[in-house]
Amino acid sequence: MSESLFTEYRNIPGAYDELFAGPGEVRAEFKRAAAALGARTIGEFAHSQALAEKALLDQGVTFSVYSDSRGAEKIIPFCLLPRLVGAAEWSRLEAGLVQRVRAIEAFLDDLYGPQRILKEKVIPADLVLGAKGYEPKLVGVKPPGKVRVHVAGIDLIRDPAGTFRVLEDNLRCPSGVSYVLENRLLSKRIIPEVLDKARVHRVDQYPSKLAAALRSVAPAPVDPDEAVAVVLTPGPYNSAYFEHSFLARTMGLELVQAPDLFVDGDEVFMRTTRGPRRVHVIYRRTDDAYLDPEFFRPDSMLGVRGLMRSWAAGKVSIANAPGNGVADDKAVCALVPDMVRFYMTEEPLLEQVPTWLCCRPDDQAFVVDRLDQLVVKAVDEAGGYGMLMGPQATAEERADFRRRIDADPRRYIAQRRIELSACPTWIAEGGYTAPRRVDLRPYVVSGADGPWVLPGGLTRVALREGSYVVNSSQGGGSKDTWVLKGATP
């Protein structure tokens, strides 16, 4: 078959297309990359896509779906057609992401300190203090290194006008960056000539940047160059275990589980064949509730007894800091623009998705009267769970959510369903390209020197036709995200 890759491609009406401004009209800054991609025939690209999928299978790039009766381990679907981001647009995004992370950092430090933002009634105290992720026992605790959000994953969508908007923040244990790095390796191996012609920013410096940031927040008086950092994983049955082991390996750090660590005299040690070794920084991939049975859940088998005592004493740094989950709450996320104005005396650079908070009586009344028009989300759920897609839901599903909201309004927020942007995507069944909806999760790493934004991020794609749900647990896949170094006319 000699047909070109984009010959039959048609935009989704009403959606912003990431590559095409109109039928057959490639956006100016992407013409060079699109020409290189379009030079491949359908048959050639099908072969390249098959090579990429075989490589993922051979390398065991997996995630887990606990509820799937067909088995837990899945190869994450990958589309070799990249998502392109122009240089000027990325520069604006980068500035907005840095501003947002700095504001959230200031909020968390204030919340677990003097709580000025609550006392001055800039945001509702009952809403914040009622968040599931708020840990009142941590008030007054200052993290070593003075950083709480060491890694942030900020979920963005693009509306029909082409404006990026923040959908939610991930500030506890944001996952997915290993797929960013693996996707780039596949691009370099399978379509290297396209990558070269497009002039794309590297992403392979992420592990070294993260390792340096972790060591930079080692408790004083430890020299960061001498600091011992480890990656703490709940174990191989965790859904993101591939990522835990991948990052530990690429950062050159030990991958440990709870039995490998112990606390003695408020200091954390790692068991080794040569005896105990002091640990200064822990990049934990274990949720707060299971982190320390002495402080959180006493029945946890995944935590290290006394770890929180060591952290509070300033003897070990934990990334990300315990208690960050309060800012992951989807209702609190809606208040970040107020945080930017309060702490930074600036206007937010990033737009947000307009949000109704059901804990507010007027908002609740508005939402329950318009469930057929809105997307309703539980504030403490992720992965596409606890969500009602109102326009696509049945009357029975809407009635169920109305009961849920009435019973516990604080637990729900609502947003209008925004027509997500779309990106050319390879459809294996039939062998053609078609638009599929996407989002973007950039990663921001913060150490003693401040935030650094990985140029790119995880583009997730809704592989099912008509779907708006991009999560891998709900049938979504991923793409390589190419941030261009400059305009490529």
Side-chain angles (χ1 to χ4, degrees), residues 138-160:
L138 297 181
V139 172
V141 178
K142 289 281 188 181
K146 301 179 181 178
V147 177
R148 294 179 185 270
V149 185
H150 306 81
V151 182
I154 311 296
D155 288 348
L156 306 171
I157 62 172
R158 199 202 288 264
D159 67 18

Side-chain angles (χ1 to χ4, degrees), residues 439-460:
D439 76 353
L440 176 64
R441 177 179 290 180
Y443 296 87
V444 186
V445 174
S446 298
D449 296 331
W452 170 79
V453 184
L454 175 69
L458 180 64
T459 288
R460 299 181 298 179

Side-chain angles (χ1 to χ4, degrees), residues 112-379:
Y112 291 111
Q115 299 189 342
R116 287 192 308 118
I117 198 168
L118 304 186
K119 292 173 182 175
E120 297 184 29
K121 299 182 179 180
V122 176
I123 58 178
D126 56 344
L127 187 151
V128 175
L129 301 180
K132 183 179 178 181
Y134 174 61
E135 297 290 348
K137 293 188 291 184
L138 297 181
V139 172
V141 178
K142 289 281 188 181
K146 301 179 181 178
V147 177
R148 294 179 185 270
V149 185
H150 306 81
V151 182
I154 311 296
D155 288 348
L156 306 171
I157 62 172
R158 199 202 288 264
D159 67 18
T163 302
F164 275 107
R165 294 182 179 272
V166 176
L167 190 63
E168 59 188 59
D169 300 304
N170 298 276
L171 309 163
R172 289 171 293 175
C173 304
S175 62
V177 77
S178 60
Y179 303 128
V180 175
L181 304 181
E182 287 286 0
N183 290 352
R184 180 56 54 84
L185 286 174
L186 289 173
S187 295
K188 289 170 70 174
R189 287 173 55 186
I190 298 172
I191 50 172
E193 75 288 353
V194 182
L195 198 66
D196 288 343
K197 289 177 182 177
R199 300 180 64 244
V200 178
H201 278 285
R202 295 168 49 201
V203 297
D204 58 358
Q205 70 272 47
Y206 182 89
S208 62
K209 288 282 189 180
L210 177 56
L214 293 173
R215 291 193 173 97
S216 76
V217 297
V222 179
D223 182 341
D225 291 337
E226 303 297 325
V228 175
V230 299
V231 178
L232 175 61
T233 176
Y237 296 106
N238 183 267
S239 62
Y241 182 73
F242 166 80
E243 176 156 299
H244 306 168
S245 58
F246 175 91
L247 288 175
R249 184 176 70 252
T250 53
M251 287 193 289
L253 305 183
E254 292 287 345
L255 180 67
V256 300
Q257 296 184 52
D260 300 318
L261 302 178
F262 67 94
V263 176
D264 184 18
D266 287 343
E267 294 181 342
V268 180
F269 293 88
M270 173 172 51
R271 293 182 171 91
T272 77
T273 55
R274 297 185 178 183
R277 187 181 184 191
R278 172 83 187 277
V279 172
H280 306 103
V281 184
I282 297 174
Y283 179 36
R284 56 82 174 237
R285 298 302 296 260
T286 302
D287 290 342
D288 281 6
Y290 302 97
L291 200 53
D292 178 356
E294 181 181 285
F295 190 91
F296 294 110
R297 288 182 53 156
D299 61 341
S300 172
M301 302 296 290
L302 304 175
V304 180
R305 184 170 298 277
L307 180 58
M308 292 299 294
R309 178 165 31 90
S310 177
W311 182 66
K315 299 295 185 180
V316 69
S317 290
I318 300 176
N320 282 346
N324 281 9
V326 62
D328 268 11
D329 185 290
K330 291 178 176 62
V332 176
C333 172
L335 306 175
V336 172
D338 295 322
M339 299 175 196
V340 171
R341 297 182 186 102
F342 181 72
Y343 296 112
M344 308 182 73
T345 63
E346 300 171 357
E347 283 300 307
L349 298 174
L350 288 178
E351 300 286 346
Q352 296 214 164
V353 175
T355 302
W356 288 271
L357 310 181
C358 292
C359 59
R360 295 172 173 167
D362 289 347
D363 284 12
Q364 180 184 355
F366 180 91
V367 170
V368 297
D369 284 345
R370 296 167 177 81
L371 286 176
D372 60 333
Q373 304 169 28
L374 301 174
V375 178
V376 180
K377 300 176 183 178
V379 298

